[in-house]
Amino acid sequence: MGFYLIQTLNAVAFSVLLMLCGLGLSLVLSLMNFVNLTHGASYLFGSYVAVVWLGSGAPWWLAVPAAFLAAALAGLLLDRFPFARFYGRNHLAQVLLTYGLSVMFADLMRLGFGAEIRSPALPDLLRGVVFVLGMPFPIYRLVLILAGGVLALVLWYLFDRTIWGAVVRASVADRRMVETLGLDTSRVFAVVMAIAAGLGGLSGALGVGMLSAYPGLDEEILLHALFVVVLGGLGTFRGTVAGAFILGFAMTFARVWLPEFAGFLTLLAIALLLVLRPDGLVAPRLRQV
């Protein structure tokens, strides 16, 4: 009983990490209709920033905000050039641009941070374990679950319950109409891109204590985030959360029960769900007129 409870907590921690990364990707895909394949690079960049920050002796509790700001700044610069010139173009052009940039960023990070696996120097407060039914569970993963839950609620409130979130959605639906009201939609999109990239860096900083940081992790995380967004349903907060937890639990327990076929079983489950629900688990509501 204790073993499966620990594995359930591991699945929840991994699902929360996928949720945060998936939410950043979903923001750009659903709100801006832009395919950004550099999101995995934002995650890995945030991981490296956290590793360097924690190893420098700076206050450990600022590592995650530092990773968020660093990735958000990179996203803001990319929004100015070259993303802004591709927002109105087709998805194939966007894929080619962002995938090429992701390869370039991966090589730059390999050059700057090395090719070895980098693990963070966690503070003593986060190194311990708690015992659940006599079995140890890392405190760090409990903190990850709590932090991820709080951040998800903040994002939900920001984009679904505030005037600014309504402005973002209106800018996507009818950009010219919003501009007639005197609002600069290019700034709105720049802020969304910065927040999305920052979420990638933030999830990387939170996840580095569980997954470490190494070349190639950006591609793995990007693929997982795409699975989360497509599986949950594009454009819905609840769908991204549902997709993250289904993928997180499927991957965790597939590795526990049949580690040799974990990848196959996970992809099979995703394929079956998409066959049954091609629009995603939580399809966005369409208004009929």
Side-chain angles (χ1 to χ4, degrees):
M1 182 64 182
F3 172 78
Y4 283 103
L5 182 56
I6 291 296
Q7 294 306 322
T8 299
L9 290 174
N10 284 329
V12 171
F14 187 47
S15 299
V16 167
L17 184 62
L18 292 176
M19 176 187 66
L20 291 176
C21 194
L23 286 173
L25 183 62
S26 180
L27 285 178
V28 177
L29 279 172
S30 60
L31 294 181
M32 299 174 62
N33 194 30
F34 182 75
V35 182
N36 180 19
L37 299 185
T38 65
H39 195 67
S42 297
Y43 176 97
L44 185 56
F45 180 54
S47 295
Y48 280 130
V49 169
V51 169
V52 173
W53 186 278
L54 291 171
S56 67
W60 63 268
W61 49 273
L62 289 177
V64 172
F68 175 86
L69 292 175
L73 178 59
L76 189 62
L77 293 175
L78 287 173
D79 172 82
R80 296 295 85 191
F81 181 83
F83 287 177
R85 301 190 179 188
F86 281 77
Y87 287 150
R89 301 184 65 174
N90 60 63
H91 286 169
L92 178 59
Q94 296 170 358
V95 166
L96 292 174
L97 170 71
T98 56
Y99 179 74
L101 288 174
S102 69
V103 173
M104 294 171 57
F105 295 152
D107 287 342
L108 289 174
M109 284 187 285
R110 185 191 300 268
L111 178 64
F113 299 104
E116 67 277 3
I117 298 176
R118 302 284 298 273
S119 298
L122 294 176
D124 294 336
L125 183 64
L126 301 179
R127 288 182 183 176
V129 297
V130 294
F131 286 89
V132 180
L133 297 181
M135 299 195 68
F137 185 75
I139 292 177
Y140 183 85
R141 298 195 180 191
L142 285 178
V143 173
L144 173 60
I145 293 172
L146 293 175
V150 171
L151 289 170
L153 288 175
V154 170
L155 287 172
W156 168 78
Y157 184 81
L158 177 64
F159 284 96
D160 279 11
R161 292 294 184 269
T162 65
I163 295 297
W164 187 82
V167 169
V168 172
R169 296 193 299 273
S171 299
V172 176
D174 195 334
R175 183 171 183 172
R176 293 183 179 180
M177 179 61 70
V178 173
E179 289 177 344
T180 61
L181 300 177
L183 298 175
D184 189 346
T185 56
S186 62
R187 291 186 179 181
V188 173
F189 289 155
V191 172
V192 173
M193 181 60 71
I195 292 176
L199 280 175
L202 180 149
S203 57
L206 286 174
V208 72
M210 183 168 65
L211 302 179
S212 298
Y214 54 87
L217 179 60
D218 52 335
E219 296 181 0
E220 297 177 21
I221 291 296
L222 174 63
L223 187 61
H224 294 159
L226 288 171
F227 283 155
V228 166
V229 173
V230 174
L231 184 61
L234 188 62
T236 63
F237 180 88
R238 290 183 299 129
T240 302
V241 174
F245 273 80
I246 287 177
L247 182 61
F249 271 76
M251 293 182 66
T252 300
F253 281 97
R255 290 169 180 169
V256 171
W257 291 328
L258 291 171
E260 300 87 353
F261 300 97
F264 171 78
L265 292 176
T266 302
L267 292 175
L268 179 61
I270 293 173
L272 291 175
L273 286 172
L274 289 178
V275 169
L276 296 174
R277 299 295 297 270
D279 293 329
L281 297 173
V282 184
R285 296 179 180 178
L286 299 177
R287 181 179 296 176
Q288 296 180 351
V289 295

